[in-house]
Amino acid sequence: MDTFNHSRRLLVGAAATGVLGAAMAPAGAQQGSEGKPDQPPKDPTTAYPKPPFPKQQQPWPGLTSKMSPRPDHGETSYKGSGRLKGRKALITGGDSGIGRAAAIAYAREGADVAINYLPAEEPDAREVAELIRAEGRKAVTIPGDIKDEAFCKKLVADAVQQLGGLDILVNNAARQFSRDSILDISTEQFDETFKTNVYAMFWITKAAIPLMKPGSTIINTSSVNAYNPGENIIDYAATKGAIMIFTKGLAKQLAPKGIRVNAVAPGPFWTPLQVTGGQPADKLPKFGEDTPMKRPGQPAELAAVYVLLASNESSYATGQVYGAVGGNGGP
Ligand code: NAD
Ligand code: MG
């Protein structure tokens, strides 16, 4: 086919159907291309709740329904466009927070999704499963403690068996304890933080790689703390630094196999992790206020990053860390 003529036909066709006209319409027009409403720019400083927030604290691991304000995971806003059609994803910590936002977005992009979480988080997990099924996609819920190596192996095996494959792995679960002094960090806490955040990622990734085909992607959740550690969460920050550098090393190792490995580095996000001991209770009302954006992020604001890193569209990105930090620090 003659490319020029082909492009010309497309142009003529587009003009005839009004696509070009709409794309060139002056700012302020209400109707975008193909009759879809326009997407006016949204001021990020006022787009979501700002501090002060009500005083609150929940027993760990916490539930979304008990947070005030309730975090936004894109339940009513995320619109998919088939970018992950037919893909199979496993997301740890997929019940709440950032993992839930990724799970909803993946389903709306056409993926089947398995989520892991702790048994105490069953109500959150059920809500996510319902949202995934509402998109006509398969939802697999696999509760269990990822501090256990045997469970991590079983988690991957069960997810692969129930999904019928695995091509997106999101290592997202984590534990964060706020302690003002290193003298207050027990060996047990240090161990729990590293087991949950680093060892589990290692075990789950190791179990998944042999089952992943070229084109698969691994996405790890690191943090702004990998670059600019909070002085009250130094054990957690150390795990996030480890995740960041593990991501970069593994990316080099797996690139020849066609498997990409990237990380996301969020700044302060409004999730159960923060209201269950991740931050001191008296600091929560001002959570996120110290960022240039003057507010915390909402999980919904990260969904598109997880989608991009999973999709074929980011095929040259590996070993990268994508930040969304509200303007302070980060990659
Ligand atoms: P969240 O509490 O919603 O998610 C964390 C999840 O980890 C929990 O839902 C839980 O299911 C899971 N988890 C913890 N221990 C587990 C265990 N032993 N076994 C199985 N699952 C376990 O909070 P979130 O903030 O959405 O956290 C998601 C990721 O984002 C974490 O990696 C966190 O470090 C990272 N992060 C969060 C922030 C923030 O400000 N919220 C900032 C940077 C990075
Ligand atoms: Mg949770």
Side-chain angles (χ1 to χ4, degrees):
M1 184 193 296
D2 175 325
T3 316
F4 172 75
N5 276 340
H6 176 58
S7 333
R8 197 171 168 281
R9 265 200 303 279
L10 283 179
L11 278 174
V12 170
T17 54
V19 174
L20 273 184
M24 291 174 188
Q30 294 304 300
Q31 210 63 18
S33 60
E34 294 160 11
K36 287 182 190 151
D38 279 349
Q39 297 280 335
K42 189 163 72 172
D43 180 349
T45 64
T46 53
Y48 289 101
K50 289 176 114 159
F53 301 120
K55 265 201 132 179
Q56 59 202 285
Q57 199 65 205
Q58 290 187 45
W60 179 79
L63 287 176
T64 305
S65 54
K66 295 190 175 149
M67 286 184 72
S68 173
R70 212 184 136 109
D72 182 353
H73 313 88
E75 286 91 340
T76 58
S77 57
Y78 191 90
K79 288 186 179 56
S81 53
R83 292 161 80 189
L84 302 175
K85 191 103 197 283
R87 305 280 295 271
K88 319 271 182 203
L90 167 62
I91 306 174
T92 64
D95 60 301
S96 58
I98 294 162
R100 179 195 286 226
I104 294 169
Y106 283 4
R108 294 202 178 152
E109 295 292 352
D112 295 329
V113 186
I115 58 168
N116 161 252
Y117 51 92
L118 288 160
E121 298 172 301
E122 194 62 46
D124 268 353
R126 275 203 198 132
E127 286 177 10
V128 176
E130 270 171 35
L131 286 160
I132 295 169
R133 289 178 190 132
E135 300 304 316
R137 305 311 311 184
K138 186 165 197 178
V140 176
T141 53
I142 311 177
D145 188 342
I146 58 169
K147 295 198 301 300
D148 179 50
E149 181 174 5
F151 173 73
C152 287
K153 288 182 182 161
K154 191 171 150 32
L155 167 65
V156 172
D158 287 355
V160 169
Q161 200 239 325
Q162 293 189 58
L163 291 172
L166 182 67
D167 42 43
I168 303 167
L169 169 63
V170 181
N171 287 303
N172 169 74
R175 188 78 165 102
Q176 175 183 317
F177 299 88
S178 171
R179 301 276 183 244
D180 286 340
S181 166
I182 184 175
L183 302 182
D184 296 329
I185 301 178
S186 65
T187 300
E188 289 72 25
Q189 172 181 322
F190 196 79
D191 216 35
E192 189 165 342
T193 307
F194 271 78
K195 281 266 155 63
T196 312
N197 303 6
V198 180
Y199 279 67
M201 170 187 68
F202 167 66
W203 291 325
I204 292 169
T205 304
K206 219 173 129 179
I209 288 169
L211 307 167
M212 295 179 116
K213 297 197 176 80
S216 299
T217 60
I218 299 171
I219 303 162
N220 298 322
T221 306
S222 178
S223 168
V224 65
N225 280 280
Y227 301 88
N228 184 21
E231 65 270 35
N232 62 324
I233 43 175
I234 57 170
D235 52 343
Y236 170 85
T239 67
K240 293 293 157 176
I243 292 167
M244 181 270 287
I245 211 72
F246 178 89
T247 300
K248 288 180 173 289
L250 189 65
K252 290 180 180 169
Q253 200 182 103
L254 297 185
K257 294 189 196 301
I259 300 174
R260 298 184 296 114
V261 191
N262 291 291
V264 179
F269 273 70
W270 188 244
T271 70
L273 175 120
Q274 302 294 3
V275 303
T276 55
Q279 291 297 332
D282 59 337
K283 290 203 178 142
L284 276 176
K286 291 188 163 185
F287 186 66
E289 197 178 67
D290 58 351
T291 63
M293 208 70 84
K294 306 262 184 277
R295 66 165 178 89
Q298 292 292 329
E301 298 182 273
L302 275 174
V305 178
Y306 284 83
V307 168
L308 175 67
L309 292 175
S311 81
N312 295 332
E313 291 160 310
S314 60
S315 49
Y316 202 58
T318 196
Q320 306 300 308
V321 187
Y322 281 53
V325 298
N328 255 355

